[in-house]
């Protein structure tokens, strides 16, 4: 780990330099919605708001073509043999970056030979550099420490920026193979011990703001007991089963696949899907194991707080970004559900 | 609006105590600033949790159960009531017999997204206090004061019926806030910009995620099987996604045109701030122009293209 100072007036030159080699994406707010946009000169960057759509969309896009094939018997063509240009996400929130690590547990697990890798996701992870921006002003809907992260958590990041006033402190995580390309000696100076102290204080303050949040934990009761809780019925009364929570969630990775064939040529593609939708589990027979809102809302929280941690060393499938809480039209709050499950 | 809230709570308590209803459907406070959630108070104690203020945004007609198993009293703004009326007209619910309408002479709701924008971002809103004509937003580095008039929800500015026209009880604030004039689009047809219609529509819906929140929050989208749920892969296609997005919004708009009360629940729910309502508003204006019909204003009477009589002949019907 090494730290550098980047004076704020040099940020445009720094970004320009990075953009010479990478497809740089920066957070930009238009009409109240922050999204990662391709870098251009003179964009007003917004490091305060969470991107409305999390960084997951760069690794698991909402829609993507996987294969082209034809009936003539040629080998299927993998859409990504033409690889994406290497991307650099600048100003990613630590919660979003941590989510990519959680997604990788599912989609790019290389712990054993038996594990399955999603090559599309994996390639993008390999080809993307993530430069984080520490949250010095966590929001009212933020609860990253409760979910096992933190406003300056480094999980999934190649480097992390701390805003220390007139300067940015850029901490490079050298154990990450691509981190070194973020160091540009002519634009940055080595960090002084004073600036490191300032950054440490800023981090402490942010952690303090979030410390009052109760911890989100894997519920104690057995799954069979959790399954029968009255809270599912109650919650389902107001849940409208829209896809907002799952689509905005950085850790939701469910997708559906489809083939579209015409005139001897076919395309296999995939799209985000949502456990909130009735069709998600509808069988070809017509039977639906999750026929109603109660079963679907239960599935979402059981997956995040019970099934996923069971399979992944107790780690919850939630990073505490707060999007589902903030944008749910009927204010279903995972923190509250977690308390009721515990 | 505290006065209104007190009136609602005391009425709800009385109804529940006298066991005249099984539940009072209203709003209670949520867990983040400006969030209010649909809430069923089932006892006089629970009625204490009912709240009423400028963030009771969603349309409760969407949450009224039609199975008739319980008697519910509903707090209804003008728009909620108009949607109940459409349900009544369409034979889903007998509003006069099956539910108790606690009407509210609505002063107009505020738009959380406008307030978030004024605060400098959604996460910066720590608390919101609405007193008089000023809104005080607490943000991490201080406070921001804005005029109430600048943050009304657009559909509330265009609202033509603030209070139910018939209700078991009607609550009014003795000193109502004055919402500004609509800025006004109630008479004119919304314009979709100067580009070609197709480009304008593509642009209008370009951020749509197909989360279907607009449909799911809409009291009038009650089909047991929506047309987009018939063949999912068609709607989730990876190619030309915007065409599918437009298909969805077009079909939906035509399905609710002449029924939609323009309550704004859809655009309030939209996580991408798309003004979903605009397309239907345009169709509604066309219908109003040719038939003088305004949806959801009276329980009886015909609805345009909604009734078939034996004597009815479609003018240019082609026989196959």
């Amino acid at each position: 780990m090494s730290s550098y100072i980047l004076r704020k007036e040099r940020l445009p030159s720094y970004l320009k330099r990075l953009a010479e080699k990478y497809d740089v994406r920066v957070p930009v707010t238009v009409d109240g919605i922050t999204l990662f946009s391709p870098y251009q000169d003179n964009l007003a960057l917004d490091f305060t708001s969470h991107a409305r759509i999390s960084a997951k969309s760069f690794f698991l896009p909402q829609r993507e073509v996987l294969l082209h094939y034809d009936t003539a018997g040629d080998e299927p063509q993998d859409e990504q043999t033409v690889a994406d240009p290497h991307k650099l996400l600048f100003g990613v929130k630590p919660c979003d970056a941590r989510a990519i690590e959680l997604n990788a547990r599912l989609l790019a697990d290389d712990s054993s030979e038996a594990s399955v890798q999603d090559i599309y996701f994996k390639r993008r992870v390999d080809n993307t550099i993530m430069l984080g921006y520490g949250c010095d002003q966590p929001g009212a809907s933020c609860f990253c420490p409760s979910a096992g992260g933190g406003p300056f958590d480094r999980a999934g990041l190649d480097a992390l920026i701390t805003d220390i006033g007139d300067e940015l402190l850029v901490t490079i995580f050298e154990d990450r193979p691509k981190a070194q390309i973020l160091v540009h000696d002519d634009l940055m100076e080595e960090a002084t011990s004073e600036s490191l102290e300032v950054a440490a204080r800023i981090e402490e303050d942010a952690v303090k703001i979030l410390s009052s949040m109760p911890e989100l934990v894997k519920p104690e009761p057995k799954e069979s007991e959790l399954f029968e809780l009255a809270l599912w019925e109650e919650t389902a009364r107001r849940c409208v089963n829209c896809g907002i929570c799952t689509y905005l969630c950085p850790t939701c990775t469910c997708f559906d696949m489809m083939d579209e064939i015409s005139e001897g040529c076919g395309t296999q593609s995939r799209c985000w899907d949502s456990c909130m939708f009735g069709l998600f589990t509808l069988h070809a027979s017509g039977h639906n194991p999750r026929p109603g809102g109660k079963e679907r809302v239960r599935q979402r929280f059981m997956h995040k707080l019970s099934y996923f941690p069971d399979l992944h060393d107790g780690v919850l499938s939630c990073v505490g970004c707060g999007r589902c809480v903030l944008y749910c039209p009927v204010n279903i709050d995972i923190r509250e559900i977690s308390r009721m499950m515990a | 609006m505290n006065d209104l809230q007190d009136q609602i709570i005391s009425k709800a308590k009385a109804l529940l105590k006298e066991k005249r209803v099984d539940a009072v459907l209203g709003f209670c406070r949520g867990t983040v600033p400006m969030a209010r959630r649909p809430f069923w108070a089932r006892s006089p104690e629970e009625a204490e949790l009912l709240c009423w203020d400028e963030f009771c945004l969603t349309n409760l007609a969407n949450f009224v159960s039609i199975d008739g198993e319980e008697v519910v009293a509903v707090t209804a703004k003008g728009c909620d009531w108009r949607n109940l009326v459409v349900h009544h007209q369409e034979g889903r619910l007998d509003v006069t017999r099956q539910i108790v309408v606690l009407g509210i002479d609505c002063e107009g709701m505020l738009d959380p997204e406008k307030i978030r924008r004024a605060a400098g971002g959604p996460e910066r809103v720590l608390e919101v206090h609405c007193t008089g004509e000023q809104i005080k937003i607490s943000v991490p580095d201080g406070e921001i004061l804005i005029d109430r008039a600048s943050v009304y929800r657009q559909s509330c500015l265009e609202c033509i019926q603030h209070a139910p026209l018939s209700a078991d009880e009607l609550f009014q604030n003795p000193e109502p806030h004055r919402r500004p004039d609509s800025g006004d689009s109630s008479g004119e047809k919304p314009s979709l910009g100067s580009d070609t219609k197709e480009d304008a529509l593509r642009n209008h819906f370009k951020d749509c995620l197909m989360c279907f929140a607009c449909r799911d929050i809409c009291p009038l989208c009650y089909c047991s099987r929506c047309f987009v749920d018939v063949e999912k892969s068609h709607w989730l296609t990876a190619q030309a996604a915007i065409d599918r997005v437009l298909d969805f919004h077009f079909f939906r708009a035509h399905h609710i045109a002449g029924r939609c009360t323009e309550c704004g629940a859809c655009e309030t729910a939209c996580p991408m701030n798309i003004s979903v309502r605009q397309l239907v508003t345009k169709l509604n204006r066309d219908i109003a122009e040719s038939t003088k019909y305004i949806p959801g204003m009276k329980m009886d009477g015909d609805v345009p293209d909604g009734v078939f009589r034996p004597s009815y002949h479609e003018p240019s019907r082609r026989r196959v």
Side-chain angles (χ1 to χ4, degrees):
Chain A
M1 206 167 81
S2 55
S3 299
Y4 297 85
I5 292 293
L6 175 67
R7 293 209 305 278
K8 277 187 181 167
E9 69 265 22
R10 283 188 172 166
L11 180 59
S13 321
Y14 182 60
L15 281 165
K16 206 167 194 163
R17 179 77 57 82
L18 297 173
E20 285 168 10
K21 282 196 178 149
Y22 293 89
D23 173 6
V24 176
R25 303 297 172 110
V26 287
V28 177
T29 302
V30 178
D31 294 336
I33 294 204
T34 309
L35 292 171
F36 281 95
S37 309
Y39 169 76
Q40 296 165 21
D41 286 345
N42 305 321
L43 280 178
L45 308 185
D46 181 352
F47 296 117
T48 307
S49 306
H50 287 54
R52 192 66 60 102
I53 315 258
S54 85
K56 103 175 161 188
S57 63
F58 287 101
F59 302 90
L60 187 71
Q62 179 162 21
R63 301 173 172 82
E64 87 180 293
V65 175
L66 305 177
L67 294 172
H68 293 292
Y69 52 84
D70 59 44
T71 48
D74 293 340
E75 281 288 298
Q77 278 182 358
D78 171 356
E79 175 73 2
Q80 287 200 16
T81 40
V82 192
D84 285 346
H86 289 209
K87 277 202 176 64
L88 192 152
L89 303 184
F90 191 96
V92 180
K93 296 276 175 186
C95 50
D96 276 10
R98 185 163 171 266
I100 304 304
E101 282 214 339
L102 297 186
N103 297 345
R105 280 174 175 263
L106 198 68
L107 299 173
D109 175 18
D110 49 13
S111 59
S112 81
E113 277 184 33
S115 49
V116 179
Q117 298 233 351
D118 181 319
I119 53 167
Y120 302 91
F121 174 86
K122 179 78 168 41
R123 263 183 227 161
R124 293 201 178 95
V125 171
D126 291 343
N127 289 346
T128 305
I129 295 172
M130 292 221 275
L131 216 170
Y133 206 98
C135 281
D136 46 22
Q137 290 181 347
S141 49
C142 290
F143 55 100
C144 52
S146 316
F152 288 80
D153 196 89
R154 58 156 292 185
L157 289 171
D158 298 293
L160 179 64
I161 291 175
T162 309
D163 185 340
I164 54 170
D166 297 331
E167 297 163 339
L168 301 174
L169 182 82
V170 187
T171 307
I172 307 281
F173 304 125
E174 280 150 338
D175 52 334
R176 302 271 295 197
K178 292 164 290 185
Q180 211 54 40
I181 71 103
L182 296 165
V183 182
H184 289 272
D185 287 328
D186 55 331
L187 296 170
M188 310 157 96
E189 298 132 41
E190 289 223 11
T192 58
S193 56
E194 290 84 31
S195 48
L196 289 172
E197 274 169 35
V198 175
R201 259 202 312 279
I202 288 170
E203 181 173 341
E204 257 171 54
D205 289 345
V207 171
K208 214 178 287 168
I209 293 172
L210 291 162
S211 64
S212 58
M213 291 282 172
E215 206 166 327
L216 222 60
V217 287
K218 182 179 175 328
E220 282 292 327
K222 280 193 294 221
E223 271 170 13
S224 55
E225 288 170 41
L226 293 172
F227 219 65
E228 302 304 330
L229 291 175
L231 87 98
W232 306 126
E233 193 96 44
E234 285 162 32
T235 311
R237 272 189 87 99
R238 68 177 198 280
C239 177
V240 295
N241 283 144
C242 73
I244 292 180
C245 50
T246 51
Y247 283 3
L248 298 192
C249 177
T251 67
C252 276
T253 53
C254 287
F255 56 82
D256 194 8
M257 303 203 13
M258 70 235 47
D259 287 273
E260 290 166 282
I261 305 164
S262 82
E263 292 173 11
C265 293
T267 298
Q268 187 171 75
S269 51
R270 69 173 167 188
C271 276
W272 292 351
D273 203 349
S274 169
C275 56
M276 291 292 108
F277 298 157
L279 255 64
F280 187 74
T281 46
L282 182 67
H283 293 185
S285 67
H287 170 66
N288 194 337
R290 289 183 214 138
K294 173 186 151 187
E295 291 81 11
R296 288 174 220 151
V297 83
R298 174 173 65 196
Q299 166 62 24
R300 173 167 158 79
F301 291 107
M302 289 291 278
H303 187 206
K304 296 235 165 279
L305 303 174
S306 188
Y307 308 147
F308 189 92
D310 267 352
L311 294 170
H312 299 282
D313 319 314
V315 179
L316 307 177
S317 176
C318 171
V319 290
C321 71
R323 287 180 180 88
C324 59
V325 180
L326 206 49
Y327 299 109
C328 175
V330 294
N331 185 238
I332 293 170
D333 188 330
I334 188 169
R335 298 168 294 183
E336 193 181 28
I337 303 274
S338 156
R339 275 200 298 281
M340 291 163 88
M341 286 169 80
Chain B
M1 290 202 187
N2 276 340
D3 195 64
L4 267 176
Q5 178 172 308
D6 293 343
Q7 294 177 47
I8 293 166
I9 290 176
S10 70
K11 182 68 192 176
K13 276 173 147 173
L15 286 170
L16 289 160
K17 210 168 174 179
E18 294 158 18
K19 299 212 187 315
R20 283 189 50 208
V21 297
D22 298 305
V24 176
L25 170 57
F27 287 92
C28 72
R29 295 189 156 267
T31 53
V32 284
M34 305 182 280
R36 306 289 178 264
R37 53 171 78 158
F39 172 65
W40 288 259
R42 297 183 181 282
S43 65
E45 295 72 43
E46 282 183 357
E48 292 280 358
L49 297 172
L50 287 165
C51 93
W52 192 267
D53 63 7
E54 41 284 277
F55 297 114
C56 295
L57 289 149
T58 207
N59 195 317
L60 291 181
N62 193 36
F63 297 88
V64 174
S65 158
I66 54 153
D67 56 20
E69 277 175 17
E70 52 182 19
V71 182
V72 177
V74 193
T75 57
K77 311 181 281 284
C79 53
D80 305 50
W81 177 79
R82 288 178 64 194
N83 279 273
L84 291 169
V85 169
V86 179
H87 282 190
H88 185 93
Q89 290 173 315
E90 295 177 357
R92 272 170 67 77
L93 184 74
D94 186 340
V95 172
T96 48
R97 295 211 184 94
Q98 265 174 280
I99 56 171
V100 176
V101 176
L102 305 179
I104 287 154
D105 189 357
C106 177
E107 299 161 71
M109 295 291 142
L110 304 185
D111 185 344
E113 281 290 313
K114 287 184 183 169
I115 292 174
R116 289 170 187 149
R117 241 175 272 184
E123 285 78 17
R124 278 172 52 79
V125 182
L126 301 179
E127 258 180 275
V128 178
H129 287 286
C130 305
T131 41
E133 295 310 313
Q134 270 200 328
I135 311 293
K136 190 170 84 182
I137 315 169
S138 306
V139 291
D141 42 16
E143 280 174 3
I144 294 173
L145 288 173
I146 52 172
D147 284 338
R148 176 186 285 267
S150 67
V151 290
Y152 275 95
R153 175 163 72 158
Q154 186 57 33
S155 55
C156 296
L157 291 174
E158 295 171 23
C159 175
I160 54 163
Q161 189 58 48
H162 302 177
L165 288 169
S166 62
D168 296 271
E169 193 104 11
L170 184 67
F171 303 111
Q172 278 171 317
N173 198 342
E175 291 169 36
H177 297 290
R178 288 182 60 98
R179 82 182 90 185
D181 286 335
S182 58
D184 169 38
S185 68
S186 57
E188 81 204 47
K189 292 185 202 171
S191 144
L192 288 163
S194 57
D195 304 334
T196 65
K197 262 186 195 164
E198 194 183 335
D199 288 345
L201 285 164
R202 280 172 189 271
N203 195 44
H204 191 77
F205 290 106
K206 69 180 183 331
D207 292 329
C208 176
L209 297 173
M210 297 266 246
C211 69
F212 303 125
C214 48
R215 172 197 71 180
D216 295 327
I217 207 74
C218 175
L220 302 183
C221 274
Y222 58 71
C223 291
S224 54
R225 197 169 178 200
C226 176
F227 65 94
V228 283
D229 288 338
V230 174
E231 178 48 83
K232 181 166 58 173
S233 60
H234 173 67
W235 298 101
L236 296 184
T237 177
Q239 297 180 325
I242 185 66
D243 291 344
R244 298 291 159 268
V245 166
L246 288 184
D247 284 352
F248 166 62
H249 288 289
F250 254 77
F251 276 100
R252 181 173 173 271
H254 281 86
H255 203 177
I256 60 175
R259 305 164 63 227
C260 169
T261 65
E262 299 164 40
C263 72
C266 50
E267 48 197 28
T268 303
C270 178
M272 301 306 285
N273 298 357
I274 299 167
S275 111
V276 184
R277 186 180 55 101
Q278 215 176 343
L279 197 55
V280 193
T281 299
K282 182 159 172 48
L283 295 172
N284 268 2
R285 300 277 184 278
D286 290 344
I287 290 167
E289 204 173 84
S290 55
T291 66
K292 305 277 176 275
Y293 182 77
I294 308 286
M297 300 299 268
K298 46 181 191 174
M299 307 262 181
D300 47 6
D302 289 352
V303 297
D305 293 337
V307 179
F308 288 90
R309 295 211 168 81
S311 58
Y312 180 77
H313 292 289
E314 199 157 337
S316 60
R317 191 167 166 199
R318 200 189 303 158
R319 290 184 191 275
V320 185

